[in-house]
Amino acid sequence: PLPLLYLFILFILLLLGSEPVEGPVSITINVVDVNNHAPSFNQTDYISIVKERTPAGVPFARVFATDLDDPESPNAHLSYTLVSQIPNRDNTLFFQINSNTGEISTTAEGERLLKARESVIHSRGGDFSDSLKKRFDDYCTPTEDIPYELNPFYSCVQRAESRRLNPLEDPDFTLIVRVEDMGGESVNALNGNARVKIVVQENLWVNPGPINLREQLKGIYPMPIGKVQSNDPSAFYRLVQKERELTFPFNVTEDGDILLTEELDREDKAMYILVVFAEDSYGNQVDPPLEVQVVVDDVNDNAPICEEELSVFEVQENEPTGSPVGHLMVHDADDDNTPNALLSYSLVSQTPSSVFTIDGISGRIQAKQMLQRRDATEYHLTVRVNDPGFSTECKVLIKVIDINNELPIFEMNDYGSHNLSEDTALGHTLLTVKATDADDPGTGSSRIEFHITAGNEDGVFAMETDDNGEGRLVVAKPLNYETASSYKLQIDARNPEPLVSGLEYSAESSAVVSVTISDVDEAPVFDMDILDVTVPEDTKEGATLLKIDAKDPEGKEILFKMEGDTKGWLEIDPATGEIKIKNKAVLDRETVEALHFTVVAFEKANPELSSEREVSVRLLDVNDNVPKLTENQAFICVKKPQPIVLTALDADADPFGAPFTFSLAQGKKSPNWDLSAVDGTSAKLTLKKSPSEDKTFLIPINIKDNAGMGITQKFEVRVCNCTELGYCFTEPGVHAGVLGMPTTIGILAGTVGFIALVLIIAFHRIKKDNQKKAVLGETDAIL
């Protein structure tokens, strides 16, 4: 009540003393909210519809309550709970509520078990009574001819249809919902209640797939293959394909009949995915899209096909009985998972004699006896391959090849000595070797391959083999006289087919060759291909950054030089390769972040023999720069004072740069100015109290970088009257004349006297105030 408030204010004034306190007094009274309002729903009865198979957790209804208590206090923190579900058979909840939002959704049991009550569904667009009577006549015609209105069966069906048209008068479930304040966590919480009536509606929008169709199906096209029905009887249907194929032999009618427009071929496409949309007249979806699978069933419309016009196999003579010859490869384009692609194999003919058999299921061919080339070198077979409806004949040629009972023999076993310069190019052919084999030409028993089997541990040489029994010894890796000056290689001639049992390769199948490497004066070689070093930018002059290592293959004396140091900060010792910072040179990362140059190593006796390497010296940043203001002065218009944005820059990189810390000098608060951060590189300077006349302020601003390094900088602000365009102007006559020396001395003397008087009065005032223990304020001499 106001009288109590007045008494409270008077009491405060009495506490302050008999003498009035100078300046205004601010008193804040906080009114604390108490929980004296119960939450209430915006309506006491809610009505909602949920469709069968609605996914659990997806909201289909919502209740909403309000509380008049302070919305920032727990007194207005509302929590929703589901008190009961009627009916609740078997103690199974079909519904749940979000305690924070009041959204109602189905539980997992509700998604699975909710079913709509049976109702009469009349045809789309027809009259209710006519359609009902027609259905009744079709299925419920009574034995006696009595009026419909007197027939109890008709009345029952009529009530069911009426419920379908207005089901909310007879809901399937009633939910009791409670809302509590204080988050529902206190026994003192206030509450309110509401009822939610729920009708379970039949979900007519059901996926008719997967639809199975036989390929090459004969009939009248377009052919109905399925049907969809929207929950909205006025919906329009649209059909698109998901895969975006070139052909799409499907369509949908306005009544939801899915049509096939032409015959399908499983070998072209085994499955289609149709996307059916139900939309209103404006193109808005009234039901979620359905993806309908159409599976094309296989029919036996493809014959087996031999993968080769003539399948050729080889078998060695004297192979034991039952030795495998090979598998006949046949393909059937029909579905492998159906009998249509089940193949069977049979031998139709064999010439010159019947010595082979074939597995009727796998097509594996085997020899029934040991084969000899003197009996026949080739056999021709005809194999019939059947599926349940087709037959194909495949041709097979089987060659009986000679057994490997002859060794490859070199034309000479010692190919002498050869000389190569160490700078010989890769791929150079040193010599050609040759060997012969008396086995049957053109078979694996007579084909010769050459291999280096000794003396080539570092892989410098390699053998290349052709089909004529010749091999070439070539240089595969760079030669190095300093590593190896000579080689003695052993070359073996071998057959890809194994030798017959008891036969071993002899010395006649091997040859040797000696290779001598000639030394060549080569350029120096660096130890590393890439030279990279990182140093702090404050590294002192004369410090060694890195040492270049290089050697001359012949051991000759080498020197170093440096090229490309555009900054001239570095120097290299010609003898040792040490790279140092020159005297009086200062590395500066803010000037360049990395130095890139070339080091040349050359023979002292022959400078033309040289090698080069790229060197990079990357400079690490150190905190050698402070943030500085980009502008040092500005002005503020008195009538429309706008804050000034101060921006600073620091040449250092992270973590020695931004974000910056802005503050007034010595961290004091100013009665005239306020400084607040805007972002990591700027701050806002705001004028708190305008001066009575134009005035220029020198404001000390301290700016520190992210590492705490910074200095105080002066920022000049002129506070002035401004033109309409926002520029300072000086009133005419204010500074029109120049005062003389006597006048100036008089003004200065008067000013000094006035200041002395003010100081004396202030001293006595402060002394008096100290006795009263009253704090008058704070004086900031700088600001």
Side-chain angles (χ1 to χ4, degrees):
L2 288 178
L4 291 179
L5 178 61
Y6 296 150
L7 289 175
F8 176 75
I9 295 173
L10 180 59
F11 175 72
I12 294 298
L13 293 176
L14 291 175
L15 290 178
L16 294 177
S18 59
E19 295 185 12
V21 177
E22 298 183 7
V25 176
S26 175
I27 300 175
T28 301
I29 300 176
N30 294 323
V31 181
V32 180
D33 183 46
V34 295
N35 192 12
N36 57 355
H37 292 89
S40 61
F41 287 94
N42 61 345
Q43 59 189 81
T44 57
D45 289 289
Y46 294 83
I47 299 175
S48 183
I49 296 175
V50 61
K51 291 186 175 64
E52 297 173 337
R53 295 182 294 278
T54 296
V58 177
F60 65 86
R62 183 185 182 186
V63 296
F64 184 76
T66 57
D67 194 309
L68 297 179
D69 290 317
D70 183 5
E72 301 297 328
S73 71
N75 299 332
H77 180 201
L78 304 184
S79 176
Y80 300 89
T81 55
L82 183 60
V83 178
S84 63
Q85 165 191 299
I86 304 173
N88 187 4
R89 301 180 182 89
D90 301 326
N91 197 27
T92 301
L93 288 178
F94 292 159
F95 305 95
Q96 57 191 352
I97 189 168
N98 188 306
S99 61
N100 294 321
T101 64
E103 294 176 327
I104 300 174
S105 59
T106 60
T107 62
E109 292 79 5
E111 177 185 358
R112 181 170 56 90
L113 299 176
L114 282 179
K115 299 293 181 184
R117 283 189 266 181
E118 294 183 0
S119 60
V120 178
I121 306 300
H122 58 81
S123 63
R124 174 182 176 185
D127 179 74
F128 160 66
S129 58
D130 293 341
S131 172
L132 180 59
K133 291 175 182 178
K134 181 178 183 305
R135 291 178 179 272
F136 185 82
D137 289 337
D138 291 341
Y139 303 105
C140 305
T141 302
T143 57
E144 300 179 7
D145 188 10
I146 60 176
Y148 289 107
E149 292 75 10
L150 300 179
N151 189 322
F153 297 99
Y154 178 80
S155 301
C156 177
V157 175
Q158 187 181 41
R159 285 196 302 273
E161 177 66 11
S162 299
R163 181 194 175 279
R164 193 194 69 80
L165 294 178
N166 190 13
L168 301 180
E169 296 180 357
D170 181 20
D172 294 294
F173 294 91
T174 299
L175 307 181
I176 305 301
V177 178
R178 175 173 298 156
V179 61
E180 295 178 291
D181 58 16
M182 303 184 74
E185 298 179 354
S186 173
V187 295
N188 298 324
L190 303 180
N191 63 72
N193 298 286
R195 291 180 299 176
V196 181
K197 298 178 180 180
I198 298 177
V199 174
V200 182
Q201 189 179 76
E202 181 181 10
N203 189 0
L204 304 177
W205 187 241
V206 180
N207 194 325
I211 302 173
N212 288 77
L213 298 174
R214 292 175 58 243
E215 64 173 330
Q216 313 299 340
L217 182 62
K218 305 301 179 184
I220 300 176
Y221 290 89
M223 178 186 298
I225 60 172
K227 184 177 180 63
V228 293
Q229 182 174 355
S230 171
N231 294 302
D232 185 345
S234 62
F236 296 90
Y237 303 99
R238 181 166 58 91
L239 184 66
V240 298
Q241 59 172 327
K242 186 175 182 178
E243 298 94 340
R244 303 298 180 188
E245 301 288 343
L246 294 178
T247 59
F248 186 63
F250 301 94
N251 206 343
V252 64
T253 67
E254 65 177 9
D255 292 326
D257 292 319
I258 300 176
L259 305 178
L260 175 65
T261 59
E262 61 184 45
E263 295 182 7
L264 301 178
D265 187 353
R266 191 205 67 86
E267 285 68 46
D268 289 340
K269 189 170 180 60
M271 187 181 73
Y272 296 84
I273 299 180
L274 320 181
V275 183
V276 187
F277 294 91
E279 301 170 337
D280 59 18
S281 58
Y282 299 100
N284 302 313
Q285 294 183 16
V286 297
D287 286 299
L290 295 178
E291 288 191 2
V292 183
Q293 290 186 357
V294 177
V295 180
V296 184
D297 294 332
D298 186 46
V299 298
N300 193 7
D301 57 348
N302 291 279
I305 299 175
C306 307
E307 291 195 0
E308 300 289 343
E309 185 176 352
L310 177 64
S311 299
V312 180
F313 302 103
E314 290 184 350
V315 60
Q316 276 193 344
E317 61 178 341
N318 295 331
E319 289 286 333
T321 300
S323 296
V325 176
H327 280 82
L328 181 61
M329 304 305 295
V330 180
H331 174 71
D332 194 312
D334 290 319
D335 189 353
D336 292 336
N337 297 316
T338 66
N340 300 329
L342 183 60
L343 305 180
S344 61
Y345 301 82
S346 61
L347 282 170
V348 177
S349 64
Q350 304 182 53
T351 58
S353 59
S354 179
V355 295
F356 299 98
T357 183
I358 190 168
D359 188 302
I361 300 300
S362 66
R364 181 172 180 258
I365 300 175
Q366 293 174 282
K368 295 189 296 182
Q369 65 184 44
M370 189 178 293
L371 302 178
Q372 299 290 334
R373 282 179 55 82
R374 62 176 176 269
D375 297 331
T377 59
E378 293 182 348
Y379 289 85
H380 295 269
L381 282 63
T382 301
V383 180
R384 178 174 293 123
V385 186
N386 297 290
D387 67 13
F390 297 91
S391 178
T392 299
E393 290 188 352
C394 300
K395 301 298 182 180
V396 178
L397 171 63
I398 299 176
K399 295 181 178 181
V400 182
I401 62 175
D402 187 23
I403 59 176
N404 194 7
N405 57 359
E406 298 289 343
L407 298 176
I409 300 174
F410 274 99
E411 63 176 359
M412 62 177 65
N413 297 109
D414 190 343
Y415 282 87
S417 297
H418 300 265
N419 185 271
L420 288 176
S421 172
E422 68 174 326
D423 59 355
T424 301
L426 297 181
H428 171 76
T429 299
L430 176 60
L431 73 127
T432 300
V433 299
K434 188 173 183 179
T436 57
D437 193 305
D439 285 313
D440 191 20
T443 66
S445 299
S446 63
R447 191 163 62 251
I448 301 174
E449 297 175 348
F450 297 95
H451 307 277
I452 303 175
T453 57
N456 191 36
E457 287 74 15
D458 52 0
V460 172
F461 299 97
M463 290 299 301
E464 294 179 353
T465 304
D466 59 19
D467 294 331
N468 300 319
E470 290 186 350
R472 294 186 299 277
L473 179 63
V474 299
V475 178
K477 292 183 178 179
L479 302 175
N480 190 338
Y481 172 83
E482 288 71 29
T483 301
S485 60
S486 64
Y487 295 87
K488 188 172 184 179
L489 308 176
Q490 178 178 319
I491 303 173
D492 292 340
R494 298 292 185 262
N495 299 131
E497 291 290 339
L499 297 175
V500 297
S501 179
L503 183 62
E504 300 290 340
Y505 288 103
S506 65
E508 294 178 315
S509 300
S510 298
V512 294
V513 59
S514 298
V515 182
T516 301
I517 309 300
S518 300
D519 188 23
V520 174
D521 192 5
E522 299 170 281
V525 179
F526 287 90
D527 286 351
M528 298 179 62
D529 291 335
I530 300 175
L531 301 175
D532 199 346
V533 66
T534 302
V535 298
E537 63 173 324
D538 60 351
T539 303
K540 302 301 181 182
E541 58 180 282
T544 299
L545 301 185
L546 73 158
K547 184 178 184 300
I548 306 298
D549 290 325
K551 296 180 181 179
D552 186 77
E554 291 75 38
K556 297 180 181 180
E557 183 180 358
I558 63 172
L559 298 176
F560 299 92
K561 63 180 180 179
M562 187 169 58
E563 298 176 349
D565 178 17
T566 57
K567 295 299 180 182
W569 292 345
L570 307 177
E571 61 185 1
I572 189 170
D573 188 312
T576 64
E578 288 186 342
I579 298 178
K580 300 181 179 181
I581 302 176
K582 288 182 179 179
N583 291 332
K584 299 183 180 181
V586 178
L587 304 182
D588 185 12
R589 191 206 62 87
E590 286 70 42
T591 302
V592 60
E593 293 187 2
L595 302 173
H596 302 284
F597 52 91
T598 302
V599 172
V600 181
F602 57 92
E603 289 186 2
K604 183 177 181 180
N606 186 8
E608 294 183 358
L609 281 177
S610 63
S611 299
E612 296 181 355
R613 281 295 180 271
E614 294 293 329
V615 181
S616 295
V617 177
R618 304 185 183 276
L619 303 181
L620 290 178
D621 191 28
V622 297
N623 201 2
D624 56 349
N625 292 278
V626 295
K628 295 182 179 180
L629 292 171
T630 58
E631 299 288 341
N632 294 316
Q633 58 183 5
F635 67 89
I636 294 178
C637 296
V638 175
K639 293 184 178 180
K640 293 183 179 180
Q642 296 292 330
I644 300 172
V645 176
L646 309 179
T647 302
L649 294 177
D650 191 324
D652 291 321
D654 186 68
F656 305 125
F660 303 143
T661 301
F662 293 82
S663 63
L664 297 174
Q666 301 176 359
K668 296 181 179 179
K669 291 185 178 180
S670 169
N672 298 325
W673 301 96
D674 180 67
L675 186 64
S676 59
V678 175
D679 53 34
T681 60
S682 59
K684 181 171 62 178
L685 182 65
T686 305
L687 179 64
K688 294 164 56 177
K689 184 173 66 176
S690 298
S692 58
E693 59 181 354
D694 287 8
K695 190 173 183 180
T696 299
F697 295 84
L698 283 178
I699 305 174
I701 307 293
N702 185 271
I703 309 174
K704 296 181 180 179
D705 60 22
N706 191 32
M709 181 176 176
I711 60 174
T712 300
Q713 305 167 53
K714 291 185 178 180
F715 188 78
E716 180 180 311
V717 182
R718 180 181 178 188
V719 182
C720 60
N721 292 318
C722 297
T723 65
E724 293 183 357
L725 296 179
Y727 296 100
C728 290
F729 74 95
T730 303
E731 296 181 1
V734 175
H735 302 290
V738 179
L739 298 177
M741 181 61 68
T743 305
T744 303
I745 294 174
I747 293 175
L748 289 176
T751 302
V752 171
F754 176 76
I755 293 174
L757 179 62
V758 169
L759 290 176
I760 292 171
I761 295 173
F763 174 77
H764 286 284
R765 182 63 180 272
I766 292 173
K767 182 177 180 181
K768 181 181 180 180
D769 290 344
N770 286 337
Q771 294 172 352
K772 295 180 180 180
K773 298 183 180 179
V775 179
L776 297 180
E778 178 181 346
T779 302
D780 191 332
I782 296 178
L783 302 182

